[in-house]
Amino acid sequence: MAQTEVDWDHHIPLPKLAPVKAKITLALVALLCFINSYDGDFVFDDSEAIVNNQDLNPATPLNNIWGNDFWGSNLSSNNSHKSYRPLTVLTFRFNYLMAGGLHPVGFHILNIGLHSLISALMFDMFSILLGGLTYVNRKRLNHVPKASLLAGILFAAHPIHTESVAGIVGRADLLCALFFQLSFLTYCKAFRGGTERENIAIHWIAVSLLLCSAAMLCKEQGITVLGVNAAFDVLLICNVNVFELSHRLFLKKKTADVSELVRTGLLTRLALLSLSGASLLYTRWKIMGTGPPAFTEVDNPASFAENVFLRIVNYNYYYSLNAWLLLCPWWLCFDWSMGCVPLIKSAFDWRMPWLLLLWSFLIGLINQAICSQDSQRRRTGSPVRSRSQCSLWRQLVRTLTLGLVLLVVPFLPACNIFFRVGFVVAERVLYLSSAGYCMLLAYALGCCCCRWSKHKGLLRALLLALLCVYVARCSMRSHQWRSEQSLFTSALSVCPLNAKVHYNVGKNLADRGNTSAAIKYYREAVRLHPTYVHAMNNLGNILKERNELVEAEDLLAKAVHIQPDFAAAWMNLGIVQNSLRKFEEAEQSYWNAIRFRKKYPDCYYNLGRLYVDLNRHLDALNAWRNATMLKPDHSLAWNNMVILLDNTGNLAQAEVIGREALKLLPKDHTIMFSLANVLGKLQKYEESEGFFLHALRINPNSASCHGNLAVLYHRWGKLELAKKHYELSLKLDPEALGTRDNYDMLQRKLDQLYRTTAP
């Protein structure tokens, strides 16, 4: 078991805190950085993963969680994202139950709490990875209390975590990281009795594997803890000299002695970890059902590049961007796709030096980590001469190697090497990798403090300044994540070439009623990405509402030409064509929409409206009936059926449909209003009055409801009540000519009655 007296730790300008106090400090730093996101809204991907995800609803069977993906789609569907994270969805459902609905505060508080807990546990991880694993009387010692505290503070306050903490869907990364930590710490517990095979507690290794499975059920990245555990076992538990061992195996200069590895049980443990990893991967593949998800060129353009060279170059440029975000987390964006990162298409691209710089740095670290002790021997011509020097070199090798492992291994699922991923850069996938970066940075700062101990005041000031910048950036960025408006607009300066950024800004403006500004951003999105069908669809909808029908038709026709199975665009094209009185084309567009989306109640509703314009009343009723069968709470379809039957004189059938609708929608005042009109015509005055009054209790400012109730009282002979509701109706809508005429007629009748009854 590795034991190292770390000389450089006491030079770090931080107080030496007891473990409990250190963990509380880290939790408080994490809380300070992200607390202002606690009352944020549901933003960006939260809409699909939470707001529109029926798996959160307590009425949905709990078993559905285990058969659906993260977004609520069935895993067997070709449209499924294949992201299987049932434990994460289960925590969303817990939030829903505790809050009694979709209230974002509880979701945000749990995310902040998880990050605080993870930051506290990082103290234990860093103390082991930086200082070694030493037990005295089964109690673990911490040889680097200051370094592990510094690394923990850097992790707790790193701005790259904002998306995972302030964005509720980042819960997957948080839970995955928590079980990742627990799996690693549990694996460490197996060696409390020593490193001899007979002293190792195999049950703790089994628990570690179960926690790895839990991490993978929160997010796929969780399986990478097996690689970290294996590297920890090889480098820190068994003190294997990787360079020397590989030198013997591959160059065959000398037979590798594996007896020590067998004696400590390392080979058995590595085989167990490999077998467990293979089993988890196989199970995960079987769960996916129809194979990997299908991503488009928009999601990950580099994976669709013309040749292998360009793909490799662009992937490496993506890696350098991720490294830059860890190093300088100032330019952060909620989405990096759709032109945000233009493809490198030439070896003479100005960005090529960044790739070379990244790999020069990594190769230098790897060379230092693996070959440092050997190169020291070559420089001196003899073995390292002192025990302290040997200990220092071992510390350097182990720290650099484990830091690189913790930096690189959790990132492997997102690197496009094993399979295509659905993003260019995603800040959330760096949540675990940032721990490796913070560990290496803390070690580098510790070495600087040791070498330049005479300038400790300056180093303390620089370190404090770095932490203040981190905290300020976290606070600023988490504030931006509080609403979609601030989140989307913040991306305009970071990724001005990203069509999706302009699309989301436009959509947010349109949702808030500012359609004029929304048009500008939708047009820019289409300009940046001429095949952006969703931007065309939304822009076409706004132009339709503004009665700019010709341009709307052109945009929607182009959208369905680019993506023929875009059902929503087909339906919207049908609405525009209907408004342009192109009835045959409109009908065909509606049926195309239904062909590509079998269960499309809104399209059936609009098809029914088209049939009314064509006086095909039976077809209209059938279309609306289909809409209500697919969506029983489709209020407009129910209401239009009642109105059409009323207008065509089928009052008895209209009454039946109205009563059927109110069984499903007992608080729908529009259906109550229409049914009350039907009952009034059937001279069922008392029932009609009841529905009118009920509708007015729900919507007391409905001028039409007051006016029609007045007509009912007028017919019924309750003239004073009729007068009262005519006056209320006219007060709410003075321009209602029909109501004014009826009121004047009533007044004349009342005047006549007064004259007749006058003495």
Side-chain angles (χ1 to χ4, degrees), residues 23 49 120 253 307 404 448 523 531 679 708 728:
K23 291 176 184 178
K253 289 189 174 182
N307 56 59
L404 282 170
C448 290
R523 290 194 191 280
T531 60
L679 293 171
N708 284 27
L728 287 171

Side-chain angles (χ1 to χ4, degrees), residues 415-460:
C415 69
N416 283 291
I417 293 176
F418 304 106
F419 45 82
R420 177 184 291 157
V421 298
F423 51 84
V424 174
V425 174
E427 295 158 20
R428 60 188 177 275
V429 303
L430 294 174
Y431 189 83
L432 275 168
S433 292
S434 65
Y437 166 77
C438 293
M439 175 180 162
L440 291 172
L441 181 58
Y443 180 70
L445 291 171
C447 291
C448 290
C449 292
C450 181
R451 177 169 295 185
W452 299 318
S453 57
K454 293 180 181 179
H455 306 285
K456 186 173 287 189
L458 176 61
L459 291 170
R460 182 183 289 110

Side-chain angles (χ1 to χ4, degrees), residues 2 228-243 266 369-370 394 397-403 405:
V228 175
N229 287 347
F232 161 78
D233 203 338
V234 169
L235 297 168
L236 206 149
I237 297 299
C238 297
N239 247 333
V240 174
N241 188 321
V242 177
F243 176 81
L266 174 63
I370 297 178
R394 281 201 304 268
V397 169
R398 186 172 64 244
T399 302
L400 288 179
T401 307
L402 289 173
V405 166

